[in-house]
Amino acid sequence: MKRRRNWSLQEQSSFFIQLGRLLSKGYSLAQAIEFLQIQQPVVKQKDLDDCMQALRAGVPIHETFSRMQFHSHLLGYIFFAEQHGQLAHGFIEAGEIGQMRAHYVEQVKRMLRYPLFLFSFCIAMFFIFQQVLAPQFSHLLSSFHARSAFSTFIFSVAVWLPRIFSIALIVFIFFVLFYFFVVRSWPIYRQMNLFMNIPIVRSWIVSFHTQVFSLQLSHLLKGGLSIYEAIQIFEHQSHLPLLREEAKLMKQQLCAGEKLDEIIEQRKYYEKELPFVIRHGQSNGELVQELLHYSQFSLQKLETRLKKSVYLIQPLLLSFIGIFVILMYMAMLWPVFQLLNHI
């Protein structure tokens, strides 16, 4: 039986940041969790009790939080932190990434709340107009021989627009259901090949994957591992499926004598700059630092794009609603003007 998720993404992120800060101050993991457990509500205290029992039984840290239904992207950070030993830093990084994601999701929800309410109200008004007023106006215009090309167009819009929206809604629901019940069961490369054909989605996949790869590779190399050993660790994690499958291919190509920058250059899931960063870092002996700096720049670029997308959504939606309202009023008032001209 699948366990119910009791922690929102914001709560998971805050907990990880607090846990990381306590670890950095010298607390053991058990002491830090017990300290934070005191401040949690009863349901979450039970989750943390189970977490402590799992840790005492030798279950890996990332696996204990996976049982609590924590977000897979955050758990990926924890997995890698266990491997390179910087657990406190890993918890804080995971929490900060989660907080950024939760912040923008909440911002989008808040921005969409009013426009969607307004849009729903307009749709309801349009349906009422179509079912009640439009037939009466059409009958009156025909009686007075007042029908014109423009009024015919307005009535056509009044009839067809709700139908178009209904069809669009049905298509949208179909694609959502298709994704959750069909696409998610596909192998990860088949999913990615589908998404990579959608330009907007492709850019987000590439940016996110590049940022995670460069950051975690930097941490693992800093911990004293070779590139091959770091790729093996990527292969053994389960929280980031694309990274795992890419690592399997990379390992084979590294064994065949290919260089990492050449391998990445051949793949479509990485930013174009990453091979040059790796090549430059290897040539001057600063690969760890350059990968770290590049991951930080990638994260800043990702956040900037998120901000632009969020700030673009509401004006576009409100502009669309404005056009829709103008059409609705024209559909309602134009027949009245036509009748007045023929009385």
Side-chain angles (χ1 to χ4, degrees), residues 214-215 218 277 286-300:
S214 55
L215 177 65
S218 170
V277 171
E286 295 291 340
L287 181 59
V288 172
Q289 287 302 315
E290 294 205 8
L291 281 172
L292 179 62
H293 293 153
Y294 180 68
S295 72
Q296 291 168 346
F297 294 146
S298 297
L299 185 60
Q300 289 172 3

Side-chain angles (χ1 to χ4, degrees), residues 26-92:
Y27 282 70
S28 69
L29 183 61
Q31 289 172 335
I33 292 175
E34 286 170 353
F35 178 76
L36 294 174
Q37 185 181 16
I38 299 168
Q39 308 165 49
Q40 302 297 330
V42 176
V43 176
K44 292 185 175 61
Q45 286 185 8
K46 177 66 171 63
D47 284 342
L48 293 173
D49 276 334
D50 295 342
C51 174
M52 291 296 296
Q53 290 176 13
L55 289 171
R56 291 189 187 106
V59 177
I61 299 169
H62 68 96
E63 178 60 30
T64 61
F65 287 106
S66 178
R67 294 178 183 182
M68 293 164 60
Q69 299 296 304
F70 273 39
H71 199 283
S72 60
H73 290 165
L74 275 59
L75 296 175
Y77 279 80
I78 306 308
F79 171 86
F80 289 116
E82 289 181 83
Q83 306 304 313
H84 57 65
Q86 301 175 52
L87 198 56
H89 188 59
F91 274 117
I92 292 171

Side-chain angles (χ1 to χ4, degrees), residues 266-282:
Q266 299 165 13
R267 308 298 295 162
K268 59 184 176 182
Y269 303 110
Y270 306 89
E271 297 282 8
K272 294 178 181 177
E273 301 90 357
L274 183 57
F276 298 103
V277 171
I278 293 172
R279 205 171 293 140
H280 187 263
Q282 287 177 324

Side-chain angles (χ1 to χ4, degrees), residues 2-3 8 62 72 84 124 130 132 134 176 178 182 238 245 253 274 285 298-299 328 332-333:
K2 192 173 181 179
R3 187 172 185 161
S8 68
H62 68 96
S72 60
H84 57 65
Q130 182 198 19
V132 179
V176 169
F178 181 75
V182 179
S238 60
E245 296 304 316
Q253 291 175 287
L274 183 57
S298 297
L299 185 60
M328 185 175 68
M332 289 180 179
L333 296 177

